[in-house]
Amino acid sequence: MSTRLIAFDVDSTLLTVESLDVAISAALAGHPEAEARREALHRITQAGMSGELAMADSLAARLKLADLDARRVAAIAFDLRSTITAGMADMLRELRERGDQVYAISGGFRDLLDPVLSDLAFAPEHRFANRFKWGKTGVEGVDTSIALSRNGGKAEILKRLMDQTGHATAWLVGDGMTDCEASDAPGIRFIGFAQNADRPAVRAAAAQRGQVFTNTLTELRAVLLD
């Protein structure tokens, strides 16, 4: 039985939520424009995940909606530990027991995701995500030196991992357009996962590229383990 290189998106895949949106929504509590800004947050996220808005623009626009300080980020990072997709931890364990090399590759932020990725047994070197740029009072922006802050970053990281591990093929499980677009690079295969977020544009793009799409964790398990 040959082993595989399998990477998972985090937000709306390993987790049932979008971690940055949870943090921003919480930071808007009590804001006089909270409702309007939360609606804008939803629109911006949907546009980014569906490929209508560039990754860098989506991240920047969302961060402008609310101020995030270290206390808020730490609190949300703790709360996110309760949002793991049911059954996902067991599937990750079974993949590792099978001998597969399993990674988390996220357009979200390590500052928010590290605790939950630890819970899911991802070693630090098996986690790839963006990082906040911090100022004196809180988050000032995104560390743009990290590949995941822009479109094409997931394919860039996967190709590097393929070179390091000697795998000719890599699988990427996710719900967003940046996940699907990674399959345009040689050797990368996309598995769409719609249980937490069903994005019609991503579903259509996957079909156009001849990639696999699953609706539930049961279907995903059938692709990866059965």
Side-chain angles (χ1 to χ4, degrees), residues 29 34 38 46 53 58 94 100 110 169 182 190 203 215:
R38 286 185 177 123
Q46 288 298 103
L53 189 64
S58 173
E94 291 177 58
D100 293 324
R110 286 284 296 263
T169 303
F190 171 63
R203 188 181 288 270
N215 298 295

Side-chain angles (χ1 to χ4, degrees), residues 45-192:
T45 300
Q46 288 298 103
M49 293 300 173
S50 298
E52 300 168 24
L53 189 64
M55 183 66 177
D57 294 337
S58 173
L59 292 175
R62 282 184 276 172
L63 286 174
K64 287 180 180 178
L65 292 172
D67 295 326
L68 294 176
D69 58 25
R71 181 190 62 80
R72 176 73 66 185
V73 168
I76 296 301
F78 180 84
D79 291 345
L80 287 170
R81 300 171 71 186
S82 66
T83 68
I84 295 171
T85 301
M88 191 64 76
D90 288 338
M91 187 180 72
L92 293 173
R93 175 181 50 76
E94 291 177 58
L95 290 171
R96 293 178 179 119
E97 289 175 350
R98 183 187 180 279
D100 293 324
Q101 294 177 281
V102 183
Y103 295 83
I105 302 180
S106 175
F109 292 83
R110 286 284 296 263
D111 316 69
L112 290 167
L113 297 175
D114 269 344
V116 73
L117 291 178
S118 291
D119 289 349
L120 289 169
F122 286 97
E125 63 271 22
H126 290 177
R127 309 172 195 170
F128 296 87
N130 283 306
R131 288 192 182 275
F132 290 131
K133 183 189 296 182
W134 290 92
K136 291 182 179 179
T137 60
V139 175
E140 287 188 343
V142 182
D143 182 348
T144 57
S145 69
I146 295 175
L148 291 164
S149 66
R150 57 186 179 270
N151 287 75
K154 292 191 176 183
E156 184 178 327
I157 288 170
L158 277 171
K159 293 300 290 183
R160 190 189 317 153
L161 289 172
M162 291 164 70
D163 290 341
Q164 291 173 355
T165 62
H167 285 88
T169 303
W171 294 92
L172 176 59
V173 180
D175 67 286
M177 191 62 76
T178 58
D179 304 307
C180 183
E181 289 175 344
S183 66
D184 293 338
I188 298 176
R189 302 290 179 263
F190 171 63
I191 304 176

